[in-house]
Amino acid sequence: MIQARSEWSVKPARRTCPTPAKVTVEGWHQRGWVHRLALSLRAARPHVAFDIRNHGKGGATSRDVAGIVGGDRAVDHVDYDLVFLGCGINDVWRRFQGRPDEAVDIDEYTRHMTTMLEQLNGYSRRIVVISETPFGPVENPSTVAGMNAELARYNRAAALAAAERGALHLDVWAPFTVAAEHLATATADHHAGSLWSDGVHLSELGDTLLLRQVETFLTEHRIVDKLLDPRLERERALDA
């Protein structure tokens, strides 16, 4: 969830000349696509103050996310310029894990998505519903295929809910599927790695692919530009 406002009175930082040093890079560490998106936005628009609130929670189902959305509004009363909303993979996975009490069926999932979109529409200028990424090799191939067939139903329900309530929809399923197929057939000297760390959670490569999809989507739809320039909001009004 993001707030953005222009701040042009920026004082230049004092520059110093550090002593030359040799640095050996032994590894790379990142904090997920949301953190990297925040850095990307701030680097591209240093004159804008972005207030970014990541309410993501590992292992959360749509039931949990609905509670987070409702609780955030009740406590903070913050209006948002841009909201990314996505959930569903744990709703499906819990059932295949044999944890039926935590699983969320498609009807309940649809109710949660509808409720959250209705709530967010009341205090958000632009909402992007982002699809879930497919399962990777977390189980045997036939089980994974069944899990992905079920998850695809949840993604379709989310896309329909977004369309009915004026939200944008970002479908990342196809890019992940194509990339996974290429990686699965790559030669032994191809060191790109896997999109998943365990078949469910994304690896650094998976996070990077997701980040690229989000950045491309923001650019193609000129979302940040329109939010920063109220005159461009007329296009959204005409669409509505």
Side-chain angles (χ1 to χ4, degrees):
M1 299 181 181
I2 300 172
Q3 289 179 301
R5 64 180 186 276
S6 295
E7 289 194 354
W8 294 96
S9 55
V10 180
K11 296 181 179 179
R14 179 177 297 175
R15 299 183 181 274
T16 59
C17 296
T19 302
K22 180 179 180 181
V23 178
T24 302
V25 178
E26 297 178 342
W28 290 266
H29 301 278
Q30 53 92 26
R31 294 166 55 186
W33 73 270
V34 175
H35 173 71
R36 295 169 68 188
L37 176 63
L39 296 178
S40 176
L41 289 171
R42 288 167 176 149
R45 298 171 176 82
H47 61 284
V48 178
F50 291 96
D51 179 6
I52 299 176
R53 305 186 180 206
N54 182 6
H55 293 296
K57 180 181 178 182
T61 63
S62 61
R63 190 182 298 147
D64 300 318
V65 177
I68 292 172
V69 170
D72 172 66
R73 185 60 176 173
V75 173
D76 293 335
H77 301 286
V78 173
D79 292 342
Y80 292 102
D81 293 309
L82 174 61
V83 173
F84 286 97
L85 175 64
C87 55
I89 193 167
N90 289 308
D91 299 47
V92 174
W93 194 27
R94 293 293 175 263
R95 179 160 61 82
F96 282 86
Q97 287 179 305
R99 299 159 65 179
D101 291 343
E102 299 173 50
V104 179
D105 64 36
I106 189 70
D107 292 332
E108 182 184 351
Y109 172 80
T110 301
R111 290 196 301 272
H112 289 316
M113 289 298 297
T114 299
T115 299
M116 287 188 285
L117 287 169
E118 290 175 348
Q119 291 174 333
L120 290 167
N121 266 327
Y123 52 90
S124 307
R125 293 171 63 195
R126 177 56 83 188
I127 303 170
V128 178
V129 174
I130 183 169
S131 75
E132 290 287 57
T133 58
F135 288 100
V138 66
E139 295 282 355
N140 62 70
S142 61
T143 300
V144 172
M147 294 164 67
N148 278 330
E150 186 67 7
L151 183 56
R153 294 177 60 222
Y154 285 63
N155 278 340
R156 288 193 294 269
L160 179 60
E164 291 176 342
R165 283 154 187 84
L168 295 174
H169 181 253
L170 169 56
D171 187 355
V172 300
W173 187 280
F176 267 80
T177 300
V178 171
E181 290 174 349
H182 284 299
L183 292 171
T185 58
T187 58
D189 59 349
H190 188 17
H191 302 296
S194 173
L195 298 174
W196 300 272
S197 60
D198 58 4
V200 179
H201 303 94
L202 299 181
S203 65
E204 291 190 358
L205 180 62
D207 267 328
T208 302
L209 177 56
L210 184 53
L211 173 66
R212 287 177 60 86
Q213 296 302 310
V214 172
E215 290 181 321
T216 299
F217 189 83
L218 291 176
T219 299
E220 289 179 346
H221 290 270
R222 300 184 65 199
I223 291 176
V224 177
D225 289 336
K226 291 177 181 179
L227 291 172
L228 290 173
D229 188 345
R231 293 172 297 178
L232 297 177
E233 289 263 301
R234 289 179 296 179
E235 180 179 325
R236 180 186 175 193
L238 291 173
D239 291 342

